[in-house]
C-alpha cells in the first residue's frame, strides 16, 4: 500500500481505510500530515509513507455555528455546532481535523493541550471519510 503516490488523493484513500498516513523525509526525518512530496524543512525529495499512531494534543480549536453546506447536510447548524481543530501529533506534524466527543456548545470546557486520538467518520451513501480526533 505504500506504493501509492504521495499526495492528497492517496491520503484520503488511506483515511477511507481507517489509516492515518503521513510522509517522512528521508533526509531530515521530519514528518508531515497530510503528506508532502517535498520536504519544506530541508528541501529533500526522498519522502516515504509512514503510518501514524494518531495520538496527539489539541493545539487549537474553534466551534462552528455557521456551518458550510456539507456540514449542514450532516445535521450541524446554529443550535448544533461542531468543533474543528488543529492537532499536534505526538510523532510530529500538525493536522486539521474535526474534533468529536466534546460539547461544541460549551467551548469553555474544551481544553487546548488535552490528549486526543484519531478516529474516522464515514458518512453518507458515498461513505465519504472525515478525519476526526476524540479525547483520549
Ligand atoms: Zn527534510
Amino acid at each position: 500500500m505504500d506504493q501509492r503516490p504521495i499526495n492528497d488523493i492517496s491520503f484520503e484513500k488511506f483515511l477511507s481505510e481507517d489509516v492515518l498516513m503521513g510522509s517522512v523525509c528521508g533526509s531530515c526525518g521530519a514528518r508531515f500530515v497530510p503528506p508532502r512530496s517535498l520536504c519544506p524543512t530541508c528541501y529533500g525529495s526522498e519522502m516515504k509513507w509512514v503510518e501514524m499512531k494518531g495520538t496527539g494534543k489539541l493545539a487549537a480549536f474553534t466551534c462552528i455555528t455557521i456551518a458550510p453546506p456539507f456540514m449542514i447536510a450532516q445535521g450541524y447548524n446554529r443550535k448544533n455546532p461542531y468543533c474543528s481543530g488543529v492537532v499536534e501529533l505526538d510523532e510530529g506534524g500538525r493536522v486539521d481535523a474535526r474534533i468529536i466527543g466534546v460539547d461544541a456548545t460549551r467551548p469553555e470546557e474544551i481544553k487546548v493541550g488535552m490528549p486526543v486520538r484519531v478516529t474516522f467518520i464515514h458518512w453518507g451513501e458515498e461513505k465519504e471519510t472525515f478525519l476526526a480526533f476524540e479525547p483520549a
Side-chain angles (χ1 to χ4, degrees), residues 2 24 30 37 44 56 58 65 71 77-78 84 90 105 111 114 125-126:
D2 53 7
V24 59
S37 54
L58 187 63
T65 50
M71 290 301 289
N77 53 46
R78 204 177 289 269
S84 175
D90 291 339
T105 64
K111 302 286 181 236
M114 75 175 183
E125 286 176 18
E126 303 289 319

Side-chain angles (χ1 to χ4, degrees), residues 24-32 38-47:
V24 59
C25 174
S27 304
C28 75
R31 292 184 178 209
F32 304 94
L38 280 175
C39 180
T41 304
C42 75
Y43 306 107
S45 59
E46 288 184 31
M47 280 287 186

Side-chain angles (χ1 to χ4, degrees), residues 51-131:
E51 182 171 353
M52 306 295 288
K53 279 190 297 192
T55 57
K57 288 187 170 58
L58 187 63
F61 71 93
T62 178
C63 294
I64 297 163
T65 50
I66 311 294
F70 73 95
M71 290 301 289
I72 291 172
Q74 291 176 52
Y76 293 98
N77 53 46
R78 204 177 289 269
K79 285 184 181 152
N80 184 26
Y82 66 97
C83 185
S84 175
V86 178
V87 172
E88 186 113 40
L89 295 164
D90 291 339
E91 297 167 290
R94 286 164 73 95
V95 61
D96 296 323
R98 191 105 62 88
I99 309 301
I100 63 169
V102 295
D103 186 349
T105 64
R106 295 168 162 269
E108 68 279 6
E109 292 182 2
I110 303 172
K111 302 286 181 236
V112 165
M114 75 175 183
V116 292
R117 65 164 171 252
V118 71
T119 184
F120 304 88
I121 299 171
H122 302 287
W123 185 82
E125 286 176 18
E126 303 289 319
K127 289 276 174 250
E128 195 177 351
T129 306
F130 296 92
L131 178 61

